Amino acid sequence: MKWSGLLIVHLRNIFILLVLSLVLFLPGIEKLPPLDRDEARFAQASKQMLETGDYIDIRFQETPRYKKPAGAYWIQAASVQMLSPNDATLIWAYRIPSVIAAIASVFLTYAIACLFLSSTSSLFAGILLAASFLLNAEAHMAKTDALLLVSILISQYGLARIYKGDTVHQNWLYFWSGIGIGILLKGPIVPLIISLTILGLWYFDRNMKWVKALRLKAGVLISMAISLPWIIAVQIRSDGSFLRTSIGGDLLPKLMGGMESHGMPPGYYLLIVMITFWPGSLFICPSLVNIIKTKTEICSKFLIAWVIPTWILFEIVPTKLPHYILPVYPALAIMTAKWMNDFKPAQITLGSKFFIALWFIIGCALIVASILLTNLNRDFVTSLTNVISVTVLIEQIKSNMQQNTGTMIIALTSVIFLLGSCIFLWNGRLKSSVISALCLAGLFFIPLTYSKIPAMTWAFPSLEVASFLRSSNELKNGLISIGYHEPSLIFLTGTDTYLTDIEGGVSKLKERSHNLALIDRSQLQDFRTKAESMTLKTKVIKTFDSFNYSKGRVLTLDLLKITDK
């Protein structure tokens, strides 16, 4: 194909991926409330940068936030400054960098796949990543993970080109620029993953001569030029606390044991990949078989070196969260694209058919969960913590579908595409299977993020409290919160919101009588007893019946103010 014709094909494919990504990633960006706890912490720290003008020292209220470098906070602050300069509590402005990063990750996955495969197969690699559950989730949250994925893919793109023997100048610049950006986003994670990939390639080839093209000395200087100035500045500002906290207080504890109740045994990521890479997980089994059969090919070697060492490391590390494994998902998407490129009908084995059946069951479970989320109320969620009969679940599903025709239509259409994906794959019609799975993803993710989760207002007490304070013109009076300390409350009600216990709350209310007090109902009586002992009389002006999903428990909050009566 002539160069001009190839350019047109690439531009067409990029346009397809752009439209697809926007359709999947944008719905719900504005409607989803700030999510506890990581997103709200990131957004609040970025908001404080704008409030104080201090872009070196990262803080959540008065507490230093030195677990991660400043890159993501800078990008979020810049986004808010450009898109919402007059209202820093609009969470969608903090999420736009994650959306852009997720789209860029889809493009880069396509670009890396094009180094080894046809443009058509590479297009499907981008489609599968864009449709994946985990990337959709990260695109809707103002955190570092989508941004981190971009930096990894920039480095992997440069590494893949050099490994193939393409040693033009920009390739080593891609490699080291990605590492420098990654360090500024999340410390040593990107260098670690890239090093493991190089180690995997050495295992295959027992030859490291090609590594000279990475230009180690010049490359390290570039990475240092990107990341080191801020690290030096924050080390000076924090009297050396930043590196002690980020490495000694965050990274090493995660490597040594389960941190913040996130400890999981080895095999965790293997167990959840059917959901986190869904719907692309339908193709994992035959793709892995194919990649092993073709392990001597340069594409297969690169993908195996990318996935296996990193996956093993994350399985060994005790602290586990679903998004930690995201950096290898582009490689899984390219593996699937390679299988499609190499496909022979005989590759749909009995084992693959068993895997298809398992995927179908998981898909049905997700559709059922989506139906249950329609008109979901707090009482039903509370009942899930107890033994609940199948009959009750069936009745709830029937009720939701009868009350909402749209839900019924979407559910039935989803089942059709679910079946279609399986049947097409079973019969060796791979492209039709991927397209059917893509339609299924759209029917699942778009209603979920645009309407179903935002409609569960009872699950977002911080938003309910902030909305009431704004509508009643009470926000300016300030808030003291006792027993409810979620970061989203700070983000939505203001940096000056005071989080404390009963004794501290009563003392603060004595000093600032114009403040309102937000109290967990379980502590209300003790609060009133303490307040009366200090001659403070209060009255409840609003009660919020909510659910704290971070702690998995029912929550009732009372909003009080001082009264003379």
Side-chain angles (χ1 to χ4, degrees):
M1 185 181 292
K2 293 182 179 179
W3 183 86
S4 58
L6 189 60
L7 178 62
I8 291 171
V9 169
H10 286 318
L11 290 175
R12 180 203 65 193
N13 289 347
I14 288 172
F15 178 74
I16 291 170
L17 292 174
L18 175 62
V19 172
L20 169 63
S21 298
L22 291 174
V23 168
L24 289 173
F25 300 156
L26 282 182
I29 287 295
E30 183 180 3
K31 288 195 169 188
L32 281 170
L35 301 175
D36 286 310
R37 296 183 171 117
D38 280 355
E39 180 184 49
R41 286 171 179 158
F42 270 102
Q44 174 60 26
S46 300
K47 180 157 72 86
Q48 285 184 221
M49 282 186 170
L50 293 170
E51 291 171 349
T52 63
D54 187 343
Y55 294 89
I56 301 298
D57 195 22
I58 310 166
R59 289 187 175 267
F60 181 89
Q61 292 191 301
E62 295 302 317
T63 305
R65 188 163 166 79
Y66 293 152
K67 292 184 177 182
K68 304 289 186 296
Y73 304 101
W74 288 348
I75 296 170
Q76 288 181 8
S79 175
V80 175
Q81 191 67 40
M82 289 188 291
L83 300 174
S84 181
N86 298 321
D87 188 353
T89 62
L90 297 179
I91 190 63
W92 67 267
Y94 297 84
R95 289 171 174 159
I96 291 299
S98 292
V99 174
I100 294 172
I103 295 171
S105 297
V106 172
F107 289 169
L108 285 164
T109 299
Y110 170 76
I112 294 172
C114 282
L115 298 177
F116 303 104
L117 308 172
S118 69
S119 58
T120 301
S121 297
S122 300
L123 174 63
F124 282 102
I127 287 172
L128 289 169
L129 182 67
S132 66
F133 202 131
L134 191 53
L135 187 62
N136 268 271
E138 293 303 327
H140 284 83
M141 288 187 278
K143 302 195 304 171
T144 59
D145 298 285
L147 296 164
L148 180 72
L149 184 61
V150 172
S151 66
I152 290 170
L153 289 172
I154 292 171
S155 288
Q156 293 287 39
Y157 178 73
L159 182 64
R161 294 195 66 155
I162 289 173
Y163 183 62
K164 282 189 66 184
D166 184 354
T167 57
V168 296
H169 290 295
Q170 62 264 34
N171 290 334
W172 69 274
L173 286 174
Y174 293 145
F175 179 82
W176 290 106
S177 296
I179 289 177
I181 295 168
I183 292 171
L184 199 53
L185 288 167
K186 211 166 183 176
I189 300 300
V190 173
L192 178 62
I193 291 172
I194 300 301
S195 298
L196 288 171
T197 304
I198 294 173
L199 183 63
L201 292 172
W202 170 83
Y203 176 81
F204 274 116
D205 299 335
R206 296 296 197 273
N207 180 1
M208 296 289 282
K209 291 181 180 179
W210 60 272
V211 174
K212 293 179 181 178
L214 293 176
R215 303 190 182 186
L216 181 63
K217 292 180 180 179
V220 169
L221 289 175
I222 288 173
S223 294
M224 290 174 63
I226 294 172
S227 59
L228 202 56
W230 175 80
I231 293 175
I232 293 172
V234 75
Q235 273 292 95
I236 294 171
R237 176 73 66 84
S238 65
D239 294 326
S241 294
F242 171 72
L243 288 178
R244 284 199 304 270
T245 303
S246 61
I247 297 176
D250 185 57
L251 179 62
L252 291 180
K254 286 179 178 177
L255 295 175
M256 300 300 292
M259 191 176 178
E260 297 176 351
S261 303
H262 298 314
M264 288 290 176
Y268 170 76
Y269 294 115
L270 197 60
L271 188 65
I272 66 170
V273 71
M274 288 291 287
I275 295 175
T276 52
F277 195 59
W278 187 88
S281 52
L282 172 62
F283 311 102
I284 283 181
C285 183
S287 300
L288 289 175
V289 171
N290 180 66
I291 212 77
I292 292 170
K293 286 181 178 179
T294 60
K295 62 180 180 294
T296 57
E297 296 180 14
I298 188 169
C299 176
S300 297
K301 287 192 288 185
F302 187 80
L303 294 174
I304 292 171
W306 183 349
V307 173
I308 299 300
T310 299
W311 198 295
I312 290 173
L313 175 67
F314 284 139
E315 291 285 16
I316 292 172
V317 171
T319 302
K320 294 181 176 68
L321 284 171
H323 61 266
Y324 285 0
I325 202 68
L326 181 62
V328 305
Y329 277 20
L332 293 182
I334 299 171
M335 280 186 183
T336 301
K338 178 173 173 24
W339 171 63
M340 295 177 67
N341 195 72
D342 301 343
F343 178 72
K344 296 175 183 177
Q347 288 180 322
I348 305 297
T349 62
L350 182 62
S352 295
K353 290 178 179 179
F354 173 79
F355 201 81
I356 292 170
L358 177 61
W359 182 87
F360 178 79
I361 293 170
I362 291 172
C364 288
L366 288 172
I367 292 171
V368 168
S370 179
I371 296 170
L372 287 172
L373 284 174
T374 306
N375 301 323
L376 191 66
N377 58 62
R378 189 181 76 148
D379 293 337
F380 182 77
V381 173
T382 304
S383 69
L384 292 177
T385 59
N386 305 314
V387 177
I388 185 167
S389 68
V390 175
T391 305
V392 173
L393 284 173
I394 293 173
E395 288 301 319
Q396 183 70 29
I397 292 168
K398 284 182 179 179
S399 174
N400 287 355
M401 293 183 72
Q402 289 170 357
Q403 293 176 22
N404 194 314
T405 305
T407 297
M408 181 174 65
I409 293 172
I410 290 173
L412 293 176
T413 308
S414 297
V415 171
I416 291 171
F417 281 119
L418 185 72
L419 275 169
S421 300
C422 296
I423 293 170
F424 286 137
L425 179 57
W426 200 292
N427 293 316
R429 297 173 60 184
L430 303 190
K431 292 180 181 178
S432 298
S433 182
V434 172
I435 292 170
S436 184
L438 174 61
C439 294
L440 175 63
L443 287 171
F444 180 80
F445 293 124
I446 294 172
L448 184 70
T449 55
Y450 184 76
S451 59
K452 292 182 179 181
I453 295 177
M456 296 162 53
T457 54
W458 49 268
F460 303 101
S462 297
L463 181 63
E464 288 191 305
V465 171
S467 298
F468 174 79
L469 292 176
R470 285 193 180 89
S471 63
S472 60
N473 202 30
E474 294 278 9
L475 191 59
K476 64 181 184 299
N477 291 326
L479 184 67
I480 299 166
S481 186
I482 300 165
Y484 179 69
H485 294 173
E486 296 300 336
S488 58
L489 184 68
I490 307 298
F491 176 75
L492 290 169
T493 60
T495 304
D496 292 335
T497 295
Y498 189 69
L499 307 182
T500 185
D501 56 14
I502 290 174
E503 187 169 345
V506 173
S507 299
K508 184 63 69 173
L509 202 58
K510 185 78 172 177
E511 295 173 15
R512 300 173 1 191
S513 59
H514 59 282
N515 281 181
L516 302 180
L518 183 70
I519 304 170
D520 187 327
R521 173 66 63 82
S522 64
Q523 301 185 42
L524 180 59
Q525 188 57 49
D526 291 339
F527 171 83
R528 280 185 158 159
T529 301
K530 181 67 176 177
E532 288 172 4
S533 71
M534 297 182 70
T535 66
L536 288 177
K537 293 183 179 180
T538 60
K539 68 174 182 179
V540 175
I541 60 173
K542 182 69 174 177
T543 296
F544 305 93
D545 293 319
S546 305
F547 186 87
N548 188 337
Y549 57 83
S550 296
K551 294 185 176 181
R553 67 180 182 87
V554 172
L555 179 70
T556 299
L557 296 172
D558 292 303
L559 187 66
L560 290 78
K561 68 186 305 183
I562 291 179
T563 178
D564 295 331
K565 298 180 180 180

